[in-house]
Amino acid sequence: MPESSRAIQFERSANDVYVSVLKSAKDTTAEQIKTAFEMSRFAEALLVDENVFEQVIKNFKQWQLSEQTPSSRYSERIATLEDARLYVIISDDHMTATLSCDAAQGGTPIERQDVLEALKGAGVVAGIKRKMVDKVINHAQNVEPGSHFDAIIARGVTAKNGHNAWFERLVDDARQRVLRPQAREDGTVDMRDLGEQVTVLEGDPLLRKHPPTKGRHGCTVKGDVIEAFDGEDTDMAPGEGARFDDNDPMTIIAARTGMPWFTHNSASVDDVLTLKTVDVSTGHVKFKGSVIVTGNVTEGMRVECTGDITVAGYVDSAHLFAGGSITVRKGCIGHISSEDEQRLQSDEAYIPHLSSKLHANDSIWCAYAQYAFLKCNQSLTIDRQLTHCHVVCLGEAFIGGQDNSARGKIIGGTFETCAHICAGQLGARAGTLTRFVLSVPPPPVSTLQALSQLYYQLRAITYRLRRVEKGITRCQSLANSEQQKSLKHSLVTGAKSELERLRSIQNDLKVMRASLKNHTTLRIMAAKEVFPGVQLEYDHKKLRIKEHRGGTLLLLKDHELRMDILR
């Protein structure tokens, strides 16, 4: 053995490491001790100080000068053997367990049994990744001594609610298809070409039901079950002109030839009435189905149907009422009485009687309209111009195009809406009063659905808590006290879990109700110009344009009327 090895030795006492230096090794240096330590079996131990080797030499020299040195070797503690340490950290929702590790420093390394006991002690019994346990052990052996690392060792299973029953439309809805402008080959949109009428033959499939799915319960890493909700079922019902398929009760088929239309869970087929014109020779038209007029609807006539109305010509001072959509391919012309015209001069808020009326439960498409009352629950599309009309529209309005490409005009009249409007020009050079009466847009359907789901969960939890309350009352009647105690403990534990979910849902409801007080920004876009006389109104507030402007964006934002340059 070399002299240096005999002169410098290392010993272990419990978890401490000592260096022993031969008294006669007077020339021993701190570097020699450090080198010998790094070559020893204690090299990974935790030094008591970073300058410990210099301190040892200093103390060794003083010890040599001492008169009382009966021992032949000097010994001093220089390091500590640190075993590996494990901590299990469980997330607040009990869905993940993280193993927090400090690698050994000369002490006992991590072993499989250590990991399993740490998990057991933390109550982790589910979702343990067995392969990750091996990876943690291997990683701990290869990292720097004393280094820290974390590893997710267990994951809970998220509860998966079932899907509600849903309905697949197998053909287009005629009430929507008729108002869909067609794309040209160059990518632009032809606002006059609305596509062909959608028709089906007897026996054609219309609607298919996809049944609800079961929910899949989840589980926390502690083994607690997270309850999932099954999807809700909704019955499918054929409407008029439709029936169930004899070979497939989940499919509705056409019972006659006609135009298909849909509600959420139903399909119907309208009969189609085709007329060359509607005038005194035909009389008023009232029809269960859709009506197509290849010519004009003349003055004083009325057309009423449960489906769509399509007029290839003009509507002249006539009334049209459709359960679906209305399409007037040329124009709608009306008149105003002289009395109403005079009253408008003195009362700007007065709504005059207009001789033409188009009222659709769905959408309206018209080439142009003048002195007409237009009301629709969905979108309004005007190809060229609205002049002195009274419009009530719950959907978006496109006057001569969309966004910055819009070139249509809105001149005079009153436009009531809770949705966006795109036009090229608002008002006229003469300063014609053109009113836009705005209301707050309704919340998105997805928000209402989410709110409904939260209320459903709230009712379900309330129901389960009532059952727990009844169970606690009933368990008092059990003769066996141990059984009574065990059952009561189980019920109380379940109640605590339900109360946690209840508080979470109540917080979500509070946030959602607060969000409903806000509204999406309502935009009226004038792509080309705006003239004086254009007036916005909302909740007793008014914003009137007093100067000729270029492209302008008029806004209802945060319940305030605003104006901005169109960029």
Side-chain angles (χ1 to χ4, degrees), residues 261-288:
W261 60 277
F262 301 89
T263 60
H264 167 62
N265 64 331
S266 179
S268 302
V269 178
D270 281 344
D271 276 335
V272 180
L273 174 64
T274 303
L275 300 168
K276 288 184 178 180
T277 186
V278 176
D279 56 18
V280 293
S281 66
T282 62
H284 299 311
V285 175
K286 188 174 183 180
F287 185 70
K288 289 185 177 180

PDB file of all heavy atoms in Angstrom, residues 261-288:
ATOM      1  N   TRP A 261     -87.270  20.218 -44.019  1.00  0.00           N
ATOM      2  CA  TRP A 261     -86.787  21.187 -43.031  1.00  0.00           C
ATOM      3  C   TRP A 261     -86.758  20.509 -41.663  1.00  0.00           C
ATOM      4  O   TRP A 261     -87.388  19.487 -41.452  1.00  0.00           O
ATOM      5  CB  TRP A 261     -87.634  22.451 -43.012  1.00  0.00           C
ATOM      6  CG  TRP A 261     -89.083  22.262 -42.675  1.00  0.00           C
ATOM      7  CD1 TRP A 261     -90.084  21.891 -43.522  1.00  0.00           C
ATOM      8  CD2 TRP A 261     -89.690  22.444 -41.391  1.00  0.00           C
ATOM      9  NE1 TRP A 261     -91.278  21.806 -42.865  1.00  0.00           N
ATOM     10  CE2 TRP A 261     -91.079  22.155 -41.553  1.00  0.00           C
ATOM     11  CE3 TRP A 261     -89.226  22.812 -40.136  1.00  0.00           C
ATOM     12  CZ2 TRP A 261     -91.979  22.232 -40.499  1.00  0.00           C
ATOM     13  CZ3 TRP A 261     -90.117  22.896 -39.080  1.00  0.00           C
ATOM     14  CH2 TRP A 261     -91.487  22.616 -39.271  1.00  0.00           C
ATOM     15  N   PHE A 262     -85.976  21.102 -40.742  1.00  0.00           N
ATOM     16  CA  PHE A 262     -85.656  20.403 -39.495  1.00  0.00           C
ATOM     17  C   PHE A 262     -85.851  21.297 -38.282  1.00  0.00           C
ATOM     18  O   PHE A 262     -85.701  22.517 -38.351  1.00  0.00           O
ATOM     19  CB  PHE A 262     -84.196  19.926 -39.500  1.00  0.00           C
ATOM     20  CG  PHE A 262     -83.856  18.986 -40.621  1.00  0.00           C
ATOM     21  CD1 PHE A 262     -83.421  19.467 -41.846  1.00  0.00           C
ATOM     22  CD2 PHE A 262     -83.976  17.619 -40.454  1.00  0.00           C
ATOM     23  CE1 PHE A 262     -83.104  18.605 -42.879  1.00  0.00           C
ATOM     24  CE2 PHE A 262     -83.662  16.750 -41.481  1.00  0.00           C
ATOM     25  CZ  PHE A 262     -83.230  17.247 -42.696  1.00  0.00           C
ATOM     26  N   THR A 263     -86.181  20.667 -37.189  1.00  0.00           N
ATOM     27  CA  THR A 263     -85.973  21.249 -35.864  1.00  0.00           C
ATOM     28  C   THR A 263     -84.888  20.400 -35.205  1.00  0.00           C
ATOM     29  O   THR A 263     -84.286  19.548 -35.856  1.00  0.00           O
ATOM     30  CB  THR A 263     -87.267  21.230 -35.027  1.00  0.00           C
ATOM     31  OG1 THR A 263     -87.701  19.874 -34.876  1.00  0.00           O
ATOM     32  CG2 THR A 263     -88.359  22.047 -35.704  1.00  0.00           C
ATOM     33  N   HIS A 264     -84.649  20.625 -33.905  1.00  0.00           N
ATOM     34  CA  HIS A 264     -83.556  19.922 -33.240  1.00  0.00           C
ATOM     35  C   HIS A 264     -83.687  18.404 -33.368  1.00  0.00           C
ATOM     36  O   HIS A 264     -82.725  17.705 -33.704  1.00  0.00           O
ATOM     37  CB  HIS A 264     -83.509  20.321 -31.763  1.00  0.00           C
ATOM     38  CG  HIS A 264     -82.637  19.446 -30.922  1.00  0.00           C
ATOM     39  ND1 HIS A 264     -81.275  19.329 -31.136  1.00  0.00           N
ATOM     40  CD2 HIS A 264     -82.926  18.626 -29.873  1.00  0.00           C
ATOM     41  CE1 HIS A 264     -80.773  18.484 -30.267  1.00  0.00           C
ATOM     42  NE2 HIS A 264     -81.750  18.048 -29.494  1.00  0.00           N
ATOM     43  N   ASN A 265     -84.885  17.882 -33.124  1.00  0.00           N
ATOM     44  CA  ASN A 265     -85.055  16.431 -33.062  1.00  0.00           C
ATOM     45  C   ASN A 265     -86.148  15.925 -34.006  1.00  0.00           C
ATOM     46  O   ASN A 265     -86.705  14.851 -33.802  1.00  0.00           O
ATOM     47  CB  ASN A 265     -85.390  16.005 -31.633  1.00  0.00           C
ATOM     48  CG  ASN A 265     -86.718  16.575 -31.165  1.00  0.00           C
ATOM     49  OD1 ASN A 265     -87.127  17.642 -31.611  1.00  0.00           O
ATOM     50  ND2 ASN A 265     -87.383  15.878 -30.268  1.00  0.00           N
ATOM     51  N   SER A 266     -86.449  16.709 -35.014  1.00  0.00           N
ATOM     52  CA  SER A 266     -87.546  16.334 -35.909  1.00  0.00           C
ATOM     53  C   SER A 266     -87.230  16.735 -37.342  1.00  0.00           C
ATOM     54  O   SER A 266     -86.441  17.657 -37.586  1.00  0.00           O
ATOM     55  CB  SER A 266     -88.845  17.007 -35.452  1.00  0.00           C
ATOM     56  OG  SER A 266     -89.913  16.686 -36.310  1.00  0.00           O
ATOM     57  N   ALA A 267     -87.844  16.019 -38.275  1.00  0.00           N
ATOM     58  CA  ALA A 267     -87.717  16.346 -39.698  1.00  0.00           C
ATOM     59  C   ALA A 267     -89.117  16.360 -40.297  1.00  0.00           C
ATOM     60  O   ALA A 267     -89.967  15.532 -39.962  1.00  0.00           O
ATOM     61  CB  ALA A 267     -86.843  15.320 -40.407  1.00  0.00           C
ATOM     62  N   SER A 268     -89.349  17.312 -41.186  1.00  0.00           N
ATOM     63  CA  SER A 268     -90.632  17.430 -41.873  1.00  0.00           C
ATOM     64  C   SER A 268     -90.381  17.640 -43.354  1.00  0.00           C
ATOM     65  O   SER A 268     -89.282  18.053 -43.767  1.00  0.00           O
ATOM     66  CB  SER A 268     -91.448  18.607 -41.318  1.00  0.00           C
ATOM     67  OG  SER A 268     -91.667  18.470 -39.929  1.00  0.00           O
ATOM     68  N   VAL A 269     -91.390  17.352 -44.156  1.00  0.00           N
ATOM     69  CA  VAL A 269     -91.307  17.590 -45.594  1.00  0.00           C
ATOM     70  C   VAL A 269     -92.534  18.403 -45.998  1.00  0.00           C
ATOM     71  O   VAL A 269     -93.677  17.953 -45.828  1.00  0.00           O
ATOM     72  CB  VAL A 269     -91.258  16.270 -46.390  1.00  0.00           C
ATOM     73  CG1 VAL A 269     -91.217  16.553 -47.889  1.00  0.00           C
ATOM     74  CG2 VAL A 269     -90.036  15.448 -45.978  1.00  0.00           C
ATOM     75  N   ASP A 270     -92.274  19.618 -46.481  1.00  0.00           N
ATOM     76  CA  ASP A 270     -93.363  20.489 -46.913  1.00  0.00           C
ATOM     77  C   ASP A 270     -93.816  20.135 -48.323  1.00  0.00           C
ATOM     78  O   ASP A 270     -92.989  19.845 -49.203  1.00  0.00           O
ATOM     79  CB  ASP A 270     -92.908  21.952 -46.907  1.00  0.00           C
ATOM     80  CG  ASP A 270     -92.904  22.546 -45.509  1.00  0.00           C
ATOM     81  OD1 ASP A 270     -93.522  21.942 -44.619  1.00  0.00           O
ATOM     82  OD2 ASP A 270     -92.282  23.611 -45.319  1.00  0.00           O
ATOM     83  N   ASP A 271     -95.118  20.209 -48.531  1.00  0.00           N
ATOM     84  CA  ASP A 271     -95.626  20.237 -49.899  1.00  0.00           C
ATOM     85  C   ASP A 271     -95.190  21.541 -50.539  1.00  0.00           C
ATOM     86  O   ASP A 271     -94.943  22.538 -49.856  1.00  0.00           O
ATOM     87  CB  ASP A 271     -97.156  20.161 -49.899  1.00  0.00           C
ATOM     88  CG  ASP A 271     -97.642  18.714 -49.811  1.00  0.00           C
ATOM     89  OD1 ASP A 271     -96.883  17.829 -50.206  1.00  0.00           O
ATOM     90  OD2 ASP A 271     -98.758  18.499 -49.325  1.00  0.00           O
ATOM     91  N   VAL A 272     -95.105  21.583 -51.833  1.00  0.00           N
ATOM     92  CA  VAL A 272     -94.710  22.788 -52.556  1.00  0.00           C
ATOM     93  C   VAL A 272     -95.851  23.205 -53.472  1.00  0.00           C
ATOM     94  O   VAL A 272     -96.314  22.427 -54.311  1.00  0.00           O
ATOM     95  CB  VAL A 272     -93.424  22.561 -53.373  1.00  0.00           C
ATOM     96  CG1 VAL A 272     -93.046  23.833 -54.120  1.00  0.00           C
ATOM     97  CG2 VAL A 272     -92.280  22.118 -52.460  1.00  0.00           C
ATOM     98  N   LEU A 273     -96.313  24.462 -53.287  1.00  0.00           N
ATOM     99  CA  LEU A 273     -97.337  25.042 -54.152  1.00  0.00           C
ATOM    100  C   LEU A 273     -96.661  26.023 -55.097  1.00  0.00           C
ATOM    101  O   LEU A 273     -96.007  26.970 -54.655  1.00  0.00           O
ATOM    102  CB  LEU A 273     -98.399  25.763 -53.311  1.00  0.00           C
ATOM    103  CG  LEU A 273     -99.472  26.538 -54.089  1.00  0.00           C
ATOM    104  CD1 LEU A 273    -100.314  25.581 -54.934  1.00  0.00           C
ATOM    105  CD2 LEU A 273    -100.349  27.331 -53.136  1.00  0.00           C
ATOM    106  N   THR A 274     -96.796  25.808 -56.395  1.00  0.00           N
ATOM    107  CA  THR A 274     -96.177  26.676 -57.401  1.00  0.00           C
ATOM    108  C   THR A 274     -97.264  27.466 -58.121  1.00  0.00           C
ATOM    109  O   THR A 274     -98.221  26.892 -58.645  1.00  0.00           O
ATOM    110  CB  THR A 274     -95.363  25.858 -58.408  1.00  0.00           C
ATOM    111  OG1 THR A 274     -94.375  25.094 -57.707  1.00  0.00           O
ATOM    112  CG2 THR A 274     -94.662  26.762 -59.405  1.00  0.00           C
ATOM    113  N   LEU A 275     -97.077  28.814 -58.136  1.00  0.00           N
ATOM    114  CA  LEU A 275     -98.030  29.714 -58.798  1.00  0.00           C
ATOM    115  C   LEU A 275     -97.286  30.630 -59.751  1.00  0.00           C
ATOM    116  O   LEU A 275     -96.140  31.022 -59.488  1.00  0.00           O
ATOM    117  CB  LEU A 275     -98.774  30.556 -57.758  1.00  0.00           C
ATOM    118  CG  LEU A 275     -99.595  29.791 -56.702  1.00  0.00           C
ATOM    119  CD1 LEU A 275    -100.024  30.754 -55.596  1.00  0.00           C
ATOM    120  CD2 LEU A 275    -100.802  29.139 -57.344  1.00  0.00           C
ATOM    121  N   LYS A 276     -97.936  30.997 -60.861  1.00  0.00           N
ATOM    122  CA  LYS A 276     -97.312  31.930 -61.795  1.00  0.00           C
ATOM    123  C   LYS A 276     -97.303  33.341 -61.215  1.00  0.00           C
ATOM    124  O   LYS A 276     -96.341  34.093 -61.409  1.00  0.00           O
ATOM    125  CB  LYS A 276     -98.044  31.917 -63.127  1.00  0.00           C
ATOM    126  CG  LYS A 276     -97.820  30.645 -63.932  1.00  0.00           C
ATOM    127  CD  LYS A 276     -98.488  30.736 -65.296  1.00  0.00           C
ATOM    128  CE  LYS A 276     -98.219  29.478 -66.123  1.00  0.00           C
ATOM    129  NZ  LYS A 276     -98.867  29.549 -67.460  1.00  0.00           N
ATOM    130  N   THR A 277     -98.388  33.725 -60.549  1.00  0.00           N
ATOM    131  CA  THR A 277     -98.495  35.042 -59.933  1.00  0.00           C
ATOM    132  C   THR A 277     -99.532  34.961 -58.829  1.00  0.00           C
ATOM    133  O   THR A 277    -100.337  34.024 -58.769  1.00  0.00           O
ATOM    134  CB  THR A 277     -98.892  36.117 -60.962  1.00  0.00           C
ATOM    135  OG1 THR A 277     -98.846  37.407 -60.357  1.00  0.00           O
ATOM    136  CG2 THR A 277    -100.300  35.853 -61.502  1.00  0.00           C
ATOM    137  N   VAL A 278     -99.493  35.917 -57.927  1.00  0.00           N
ATOM    138  CA  VAL A 278    -100.523  36.029 -56.897  1.00  0.00           C
ATOM    139  C   VAL A 278    -101.206  37.381 -57.098  1.00  0.00           C
ATOM    140  O   VAL A 278    -100.592  38.441 -56.896  1.00  0.00           O
ATOM    141  CB  VAL A 278     -99.928  35.913 -55.480  1.00  0.00           C
ATOM    142  CG1 VAL A 278    -101.031  36.126 -54.431  1.00  0.00           C
ATOM    143  CG2 VAL A 278     -99.267  34.567 -55.274  1.00  0.00           C
ATOM    144  N   ASP A 279    -102.470  37.367 -57.536  1.00  0.00           N
ATOM    145  CA  ASP A 279    -103.239  38.589 -57.777  1.00  0.00           C
ATOM    146  C   ASP A 279    -104.707  38.302 -57.500  1.00  0.00           C
ATOM    147  O   ASP A 279    -105.046  37.278 -56.893  1.00  0.00           O
ATOM    148  CB  ASP A 279    -103.007  39.099 -59.202  1.00  0.00           C
ATOM    149  CG  ASP A 279    -103.322  38.057 -60.271  1.00  0.00           C
ATOM    150  OD1 ASP A 279    -104.032  37.079 -59.952  1.00  0.00           O
ATOM    151  OD2 ASP A 279    -102.854  38.205 -61.419  1.00  0.00           O
ATOM    152  N   VAL A 280    -105.578  39.154 -57.966  1.00  0.00           N
ATOM    153  CA  VAL A 280    -107.004  38.981 -57.694  1.00  0.00           C
ATOM    154  C   VAL A 280    -107.552  37.702 -58.322  1.00  0.00           C
ATOM    155  O   VAL A 280    -108.563  37.162 -57.869  1.00  0.00           O
ATOM    156  CB  VAL A 280    -107.801  40.204 -58.195  1.00  0.00           C
ATOM    157  CG1 VAL A 280    -107.453  41.437 -57.379  1.00  0.00           C
ATOM    158  CG2 VAL A 280    -107.534  40.468 -59.676  1.00  0.00           C
ATOM    159  N   SER A 281    -106.856  37.182 -59.338  1.00  0.00           N
ATOM    160  CA  SER A 281    -107.353  35.958 -59.977  1.00  0.00           C
ATOM    161  C   SER A 281    -107.101  34.719 -59.125  1.00  0.00           C
ATOM    162  O   SER A 281    -107.826  33.735 -59.204  1.00  0.00           O
ATOM    163  CB  SER A 281    -106.688  35.784 -61.350  1.00  0.00           C
ATOM    164  OG  SER A 281    -105.299  35.550 -61.212  1.00  0.00           O
ATOM    165  N   THR A 282    -106.061  34.770 -58.270  1.00  0.00           N
ATOM    166  CA  THR A 282    -105.763  33.634 -57.392  1.00  0.00           C
ATOM    167  C   THR A 282    -106.324  33.841 -55.997  1.00  0.00           C
ATOM    168  O   THR A 282    -106.602  32.886 -55.274  1.00  0.00           O
ATOM    169  CB  THR A 282    -104.243  33.424 -57.285  1.00  0.00           C
ATOM    170  OG1 THR A 282    -103.644  34.596 -56.694  1.00  0.00           O
ATOM    171  CG2 THR A 282    -103.624  33.189 -58.651  1.00  0.00           C
ATOM    172  N   GLY A 283    -106.471  35.119 -55.635  1.00  0.00           N
ATOM    173  CA  GLY A 283    -106.878  35.425 -54.277  1.00  0.00           C
ATOM    174  C   GLY A 283    -105.713  35.261 -53.315  1.00  0.00           C
ATOM    175  O   GLY A 283    -104.586  34.941 -53.706  1.00  0.00           O
ATOM    176  N   HIS A 284    -106.003  35.500 -52.043  1.00  0.00           N
ATOM    177  CA  HIS A 284    -104.960  35.313 -51.028  1.00  0.00           C
ATOM    178  C   HIS A 284    -104.571  33.840 -50.948  1.00  0.00           C
ATOM    179  O   HIS A 284    -105.388  32.960 -51.214  1.00  0.00           O
ATOM    180  CB  HIS A 284    -105.454  35.786 -49.666  1.00  0.00           C
ATOM    181  CG  HIS A 284    -105.807  37.241 -49.621  1.00  0.00           C
ATOM    182  ND1 HIS A 284    -104.987  38.225 -50.104  1.00  0.00           N
ATOM    183  CD2 HIS A 284    -106.928  37.881 -49.148  1.00  0.00           C
ATOM    184  CE1 HIS A 284    -105.543  39.406 -49.934  1.00  0.00           C
ATOM    185  NE2 HIS A 284    -106.748  39.217 -49.360  1.00  0.00           N
ATOM    186  N   VAL A 285    -103.307  33.605 -50.578  1.00  0.00           N
ATOM    187  CA  VAL A 285    -102.795  32.228 -50.515  1.00  0.00           C
ATOM    188  C   VAL A 285    -102.480  31.893 -49.065  1.00  0.00           C
ATOM    189  O   VAL A 285    -101.720  32.607 -48.392  1.00  0.00           O
ATOM    190  CB  VAL A 285    -101.533  32.064 -51.382  1.00  0.00           C
ATOM    191  CG1 VAL A 285    -100.958  30.670 -51.206  1.00  0.00           C
ATOM    192  CG2 VAL A 285    -101.835  32.346 -52.842  1.00  0.00           C
ATOM    193  N   LYS A 286    -103.064  30.805 -48.583  1.00  0.00           N
ATOM    194  CA  LYS A 286    -102.741  30.275 -47.262  1.00  0.00           C
ATOM    195  C   LYS A 286    -102.515  28.785 -47.438  1.00  0.00           C
ATOM    196  O   LYS A 286    -103.429  28.055 -47.819  1.00  0.00           O
ATOM    197  CB  LYS A 286    -103.877  30.541 -46.274  1.00  0.00           C
ATOM    198  CG  LYS A 286    -103.515  30.175 -44.841  1.00  0.00           C
ATOM    199  CD  LYS A 286    -104.605  30.591 -43.863  1.00  0.00           C
ATOM    200  CE  LYS A 286    -104.202  30.282 -42.434  1.00  0.00           C
ATOM    201  NZ  LYS A 286    -105.251  30.686 -41.465  1.00  0.00           N
ATOM    202  N   PHE A 287    -101.259  28.331 -47.156  1.00  0.00           N
ATOM    203  CA  PHE A 287    -100.880  26.978 -47.548  1.00  0.00           C
ATOM    204  C   PHE A 287    -100.012  26.340 -46.475  1.00  0.00           C
ATOM    205  O   PHE A 287     -99.124  26.970 -45.906  1.00  0.00           O
ATOM    206  CB  PHE A 287    -100.122  27.038 -48.885  1.00  0.00           C
ATOM    207  CG  PHE A 287     -99.775  25.694 -49.456  1.00  0.00           C
ATOM    208  CD1 PHE A 287    -100.746  24.851 -49.964  1.00  0.00           C
ATOM    209  CD2 PHE A 287     -98.448  25.266 -49.491  1.00  0.00           C
ATOM    210  CE1 PHE A 287    -100.428  23.611 -50.481  1.00  0.00           C
ATOM    211  CE2 PHE A 287     -98.118  24.035 -50.019  1.00  0.00           C
ATOM    212  CZ  PHE A 287     -99.112  23.203 -50.520  1.00  0.00           C
ATOM    213  N   LYS A 288    -100.284  25.054 -46.185  1.00  0.00           N
ATOM    214  CA  LYS A 288     -99.426  24.272 -45.291  1.00  0.00           C
ATOM    215  C   LYS A 288     -98.325  23.645 -46.124  1.00  0.00           C
ATOM    216  O   LYS A 288     -98.508  22.603 -46.733  1.00  0.00           O
ATOM    217  CB  LYS A 288    -100.239  23.195 -44.577  1.00  0.00           C
ATOM    218  CG  LYS A 288    -101.199  23.739 -43.538  1.00  0.00           C
ATOM    219  CD  LYS A 288    -101.888  22.613 -42.790  1.00  0.00           C
ATOM    220  CE  LYS A 288    -102.806  23.150 -41.702  1.00  0.00           C
ATOM    221  NZ  LYS A 288    -103.474  22.056 -40.962  1.00  0.00           N
TER     222      LYS A 288
END
